[in-house]
Amino acid sequence: MTPVPTSGAPRLRLRAPAHHVDPRAVTWWRLQNALSWGAVLLAVGVVLVFWRPGWLVAVGIAVAVLAVADVVVTPPIRYARHRWETTGVAVYVREGVFVEDWRVAPLSRVQTVDTRRGPLQQWLGLSTVTVTTASTAGALKIRGLDRDAAVELVERLTAATEATPGDAT
Amino acid sequence: MTVTDAPPVTGWRRLDRRSIWVEAVRPAGGLLLAGAVAVTLRGWDRLGWIEPAIGAVVVLGILVLSAWAWATTTYRVTDTHVELRSGLLVRSARSVPRDRLRSVDLTVDVVHRVAGLAVVAIGTGRQGGESDDELKLESVSRAEAERLRSVLLLRDAAPAADAAPPEPRAPLAQFGASWVRLAPLSLAGLVAIGVLAAALGQFREAIDYAALWGSGPVRSGVAWAEGVPLPLLVLLALGGLVLLNTVLSTVLYVVSYGGFRLVRGDDRTLRLTYGLLTHRSVTIEEARIRGVRVDEPLLLRLGGGAKARIVAAGLGVQDGEGNGKRDSDLLLPAVPVALVHRVTADVLGAPSSPAAVPLRRHPAAALRVLLLQWVPVSLLPALGLAVPAALGVFPHWPWQLALVLVPAAAAGAALEFGNLGHALSGEFLVARGGSGVRRTAAVRRDGVIAWRLRRTVLQRRPRLLSVTAAVAAGRGTHTIAYADQDEVLAVAAEAVPGLLAPFLEPDPVDGSAAQA
């Protein structure tokens, strides 16, 4: 099943955005995954204390293997995939491990720029920047930026947005 | 619309005083009706004094709440803003700049008509939460509603220089007998039967089954059915359902859309009016229209019909399905497809409907991806039923029957693949998809406010890409699904010049694994 280039159309792809997020994001995602998988494992463990049929032990082991993989393997891949870039006219974000997702929004259509920091992110000194447009399909998220870099980015984007008249629809 | 020089409304106003009664009629009436049905089924002799007393207290309570809601709701229209203050316990105050208003939607149902009132919903185009995109006044007098409509959609700015001269007010579309022919091709009647059955199901505990079973008509019916061979019985039942659906769908269609008229106002608005029982009158500012969507459910398509919806911010429908509560984005109900094409071209100001242009098909690899999405899921019920059957605790025929879903899913995938397509047509980007319902969205290229591109691991090797054009309208997703990567990237880059192009690069033929 080798892909056949369609007649005349040059082969194109989306290039990787220029910047990575902060490397501490890997730790953040590891902790996040560890916490959510930990809750599942804890629940299975509690049941196993009282009731131990063979199939449930097998399920428990499978969940544990998945959990370890999701804590050890996925976050670095996610870090490698998640990249962002702003140019004079647009914001460009790529993310996703199993489902790849690229988003592009022109600065002239940006409505709000927010930052958000969960408890883990506060502890690690990270921020998530959300850029929204007038469509719910058009929100871009840059997850796991350094806190100060995020503040600087928000200021820059807000200034660029305010420079454009109109209601961005 | 002779209000060109009407002074702006100032000062806080209340809703019409009659709305206290009108707003209470529906909940109180529904309650009384439910009570009456329950009592009838249980027998009137078992009715004591306590039930009517509770009913009276509840009705009184509804009235008091309604009066309180009326007393606490005020609104005003200033030169720049529309403001609404309301709330029984939690006070809310909303203020919307007038230049953000997109549409004015008047609804007059039977109760409101008797009282001479109308509900006014003002589309604001906000994308925040569920209730954020409209400002609703229920209810004001009919005259006040008309006045609000004229005042609100009136801009002091003169129409743009390129505006067409005011056209004669011939309607763009008008309800006709040929429309009704298409009504039976909808399943609305079956849905209505289902809703009715569910409502009656509420009373199932009150039914005396023994008496029902013993009654004459039921007994003779059962006796007759026993004498008829089963296949014939099934055919008869199906035929009965089809007949019932035909009748009910037609009635619903005529009641909902009877008197449909679509006209273009000379203040650059579109106005739709329709409905025999509930009058609906929606006014949309043309400058806010970003495109149209043509929906063709399979049956309707085979019958040569289609429906159309407007893509514009602030039209009250939040789910992209358009089956939502408000329906203010309706452009045409099920009508002959030629009319849909004529009207959409007219509304969009295009020489011919962009929703009718030939589309570029998507590569055959998309069919494989679709089959992989549909077929495994369709196997699940059979698998789930086969396990207990294998253990001997459940008969075998259910899982065998559930296998019917597999060819059905394959057919669904094939149907969806057949519908996939996209095109650039003048000022419009056209995207088509959907399986049972073919949806063709044509949106203005300058209305695209962001791109979202996705692919799953399945799409990576065959170089397929799904591209969503985000538009400031409702859920605003117009997706070109499973398109050829090179082709769709080139189309997206061309559709909005300068936006996507800087982020594209040539893909070396041997570098399929070279992505960072």
Side-chain angles (χ1 to χ4, degrees), chain A residues 12 15 100 102 104 109 134, chain B residues 127 446 451 453 455 486 503:
Chain A
L12 285 173
R15 70 171 171 78
E100 298 168 81
W102 297 261
V104 182
R109 306 296 187 130
Chain B
Q127 296 289 319
D446 57 13
W451 290 109
L453 307 98
R455 70 173 178 207
D486 309 313
F503 306 119

Side-chain angles (χ1 to χ4, degrees), chain B residues 130 186-188 191 195 257 274 280 293-297 300 307-310 315-334 436-439 474-475:
Chain B
E130 286 300 307
S186 119
L187 299 179
V191 173
V195 170
Y257 303 115
Y274 56 92
R280 201 64 190 280
R293 201 181 78 206
V294 175
D295 290 349
E296 295 160 285
L300 188 60
K307 311 178 192 181
R309 296 187 174 275
I310 289 176
L315 284 186
V317 170
Q318 286 284 320
D319 59 18
E321 301 305 306
N323 301 319
K325 48 218 155 116
R326 300 278 308 150
D327 232 18
S328 4
D329 61 346
L330 179 102
L331 178 62
L332 287 171
V437 181
R438 181 166 94 174
R439 302 182 194 284
R475 278 277 123 97

Side-chain angles (χ1 to χ4, degrees), chain B residues 182-481:
Chain B
L182 296 164
L185 298 175
S186 119
L187 299 179
L190 288 182
V191 173
I193 294 170
V195 170
L196 209 64
L200 288 177
Q202 302 285 316
F203 300 111
R204 63 183 176 276
E205 270 148 40
I207 298 172
D208 185 349
Y209 285 101
L212 188 67
W213 200 242
S215 70
V218 173
R219 253 187 314 178
S220 56
V222 169
W224 173 81
E226 275 169 351
V228 178
L230 187 66
L232 187 61
L233 205 60
V234 171
L235 268 182
L236 277 175
L238 281 178
L241 273 181
V242 169
L243 191 71
L244 206 58
N245 181 58
T246 304
V247 173
L248 272 178
S249 294
T250 309
V251 170
L252 279 174
Y253 183 88
V254 171
V255 166
S256 307
Y257 303 115
F260 185 97
R261 254 174 88 84
L262 171 66
V263 290
R264 174 175 273 140
D266 46 21
D267 47 357
R268 307 207 15 109
T269 57
L270 283 182
R271 191 194 283 207
L272 292 92
T273 45
Y274 56 92
L276 291 188
L277 287 183
T278 296
H279 284 307
R280 201 64 190 280
S281 164
V282 183
T283 311
I284 301 160
E285 198 189 350
E286 280 192 85
R288 299 293 182 180
I289 296 176
R290 293 286 175 268
V292 295
R293 201 181 78 206
V294 175
D295 290 349
E296 295 160 285
L298 191 57
L299 268 180
L300 188 60
R301 173 147 61 108
L302 295 176
K307 311 178 192 181
R309 296 187 174 275
I310 289 176
V311 175
L315 284 186
V317 170
Q318 286 284 320
D319 59 18
E321 301 305 306
N323 301 319
K325 48 218 155 116
R326 300 278 308 150
D327 232 18
S328 4
D329 61 346
L330 179 102
L331 178 62
L332 287 171
V335 300
V337 69
L339 178 65
V340 168
H341 290 153
R342 191 165 58 69
V343 170
T344 49
D346 231 342
V347 164
L348 295 175
S352 69
S353 173
V357 298
L359 302 183
R360 200 178 300 211
R361 304 291 312 275
H362 293 183
L367 178 60
R368 215 176 43 221
V369 173
L370 283 168
L371 282 170
L372 277 170
Q373 263 177 19
W374 283 70
V375 173
V377 179
S378 70
L379 274 168
L380 289 181
L383 283 179
L385 291 168
V387 171
L391 295 173
V393 294
F394 204 66
H396 278 275
W397 62 265
W399 73 262
Q400 289 160 349
L401 190 66
L403 284 178
V404 174
L405 290 175
V406 178
L415 208 56
E416 180 162 2
F417 174 68
N419 286 342
L420 290 178
H422 69 274
L424 271 185
S425 163
E427 280 308 297
F428 297 90
L429 175 69
V430 187
R432 177 177 286 170
S435 74
V437 181
R438 181 166 94 174
R439 302 182 194 284
T440 313
V443 295
R444 297 186 65 88
R445 287 156 60 175
D446 57 13
V448 176
I449 58 174
W451 290 109
R452 176 179 179 188
L453 307 98
R454 279 164 78 84
R455 70 173 178 207
T456 61
V457 279
L458 288 179
Q459 285 167 259
R460 190 169 176 162
R461 291 250 339 186
R463 293 174 61 77
L464 299 177
L465 198 61
S466 297
V467 177
T468 299
V471 176
R475 278 277 123 97
T477 56
H478 307 282
T479 300
I480 303 170

Side-chain angles (χ1 to χ4, degrees), chain B residues 58-83:
Chain B
V58 172
V59 168
L60 202 67
I62 290 173
L63 268 179
V64 168
L65 280 179
S66 183
W68 193 2
W70 172 82
T72 52
T73 303
T74 52
Y75 67 94
R76 71 172 174 180
V77 181
T78 69
D79 286 343
T80 54
H81 286 74
V82 181
E83 293 170 74

